[in-house]
Amino acid sequence: MIIYLLRHGTTQYNVEKRYQGQRDIPLSEEGRARVRRADFTTDVVYVSPLTRARQTAQILFPEARQIVVEDLKEMNFGSFEGRNYIEMEHDPDYLAWVEANCETSCPDGERKDQFCARTCAAFAKLVDQALREKRDKLVIVAHGGTQMAVMERYCVPHHEYYHWCAPNAGGYKLDASLWPEKQELTLLETVQYTREPSQC
């Protein structure tokens, strides 16, 4: 089975480098225009409940049925959401979080290990279900954090968390042959579903 693990298109928060987390920010007008239809089809796409993921999936796979999976949601960044690093450069909570390699809890939010456990459990459940149903592909459209958590835990060759943040509307094509025996995924290629700006 082949798995496509894709990130949503660009939002205004992405452009302004703001922490989006679980804020329900839509694609920007330019972000929507730049996403292009995928070069393959699927009858079902599993999506985060957040609007930016659902909008991206609709453009990539206009005929597909969307199934919302709550736990594919991005990490909850708590009081950091809606702000960027420039606005928080003197915030002691933010500085302490960065000093701890972003491993501690965000105020009123999640710790990275909690987020990774949540996301990876949801992902593993989808893979197991797709294999039981003998599907030839599994397609997921979610977030950069979702990608990083899943890829760090399950992908070979192994790389650390931040290595795996794909560009907006980009992601990974993975082979699940090793999953039943080892719970590992093999990276086949990176994919990108954007138009050049001149083509918008």
Side-chain angles (χ1 to χ4, degrees):
M1 182 177 71
I2 299 298
I3 300 172
Y4 290 86
L5 180 59
L6 306 175
R7 186 183 177 197
H8 62 80
T10 303
T11 70
Q12 193 59 37
Y13 269 31
N14 289 139
V15 173
E16 296 170 0
K17 301 193 182 310
R18 297 183 184 279
Y19 287 88
Q20 291 185 101
Q22 296 186 2
R23 286 198 175 187
D24 201 11
I25 308 301
L27 298 181
S28 66
E29 187 175 331
E30 181 181 356
R32 182 187 282 272
R34 287 207 65 197
V35 179
R36 63 178 173 86
R37 187 170 177 156
D39 54 1
F40 67 95
T41 59
T42 181
D43 58 338
V44 173
V45 57
Y46 294 90
V47 293
S48 156
L50 298 175
T51 299
R52 56 194 185 267
R54 300 198 64 180
Q55 289 176 328
T56 303
Q58 177 61 38
I59 300 168
L60 292 169
F61 311 105
E63 285 89 34
R65 178 167 61 102
Q66 292 189 15
I67 298 178
V68 172
V69 180
E70 189 71 23
D71 282 342
L72 292 177
K73 242 195 285 199
E74 181 60 281
M75 181 169 160
N76 181 349
F77 290 103
S79 64
F80 302 154
E81 292 188 3
R83 302 158 75 196
N84 63 32
Y85 65 93
I86 295 171
E87 294 167 349
M88 294 189 285
E89 64 181 346
H90 302 299
D91 182 326
D93 288 333
Y94 181 71
L95 295 175
W97 183 67
V98 171
E99 181 67 25
N101 197 34
C102 310
E103 302 281 347
T104 54
S105 291
C106 304
D108 304 315
E110 286 180 290
R111 280 197 326 266
K112 193 179 89 171
D113 61 339
Q114 295 171 325
F115 161 70
C116 291
R118 164 172 66 78
T119 301
C120 289
F123 175 83
K125 186 175 178 182
L126 291 178
V127 177
D128 290 341
Q129 175 186 321
L131 288 169
R132 278 196 309 274
E133 294 171 356
K134 297 183 167 31
R135 299 183 68 86
D136 63 348
K137 69 171 77 77
L138 169 63
V139 182
I140 295 169
V141 179
H143 305 276
T146 315
Q147 290 176 325
M148 292 188 288
V150 166
M151 297 294 285
E152 180 185 45
R153 183 165 301 186
Y154 298 123
C155 187
V156 289
H158 180 78
H159 293 285
E160 58 84 33
Y161 183 83
Y162 294 105
H163 173 86
W164 292 115
C165 189
N168 290 104
Y172 304 102
K173 181 179 179 181
L174 304 158
D175 179 358
S177 301
L178 297 175
W179 185 269
E181 184 182 348
K182 297 183 174 182
Q183 265 206 337
E184 287 182 351
L185 302 169
T186 304
L187 177 62
L188 297 176
E189 61 178 313
T190 58
V191 294
Q192 186 68 39
Y193 294 112
T194 48
R195 299 182 176 91
E196 292 304 312
S198 60
Q199 295 178 287
C200 291

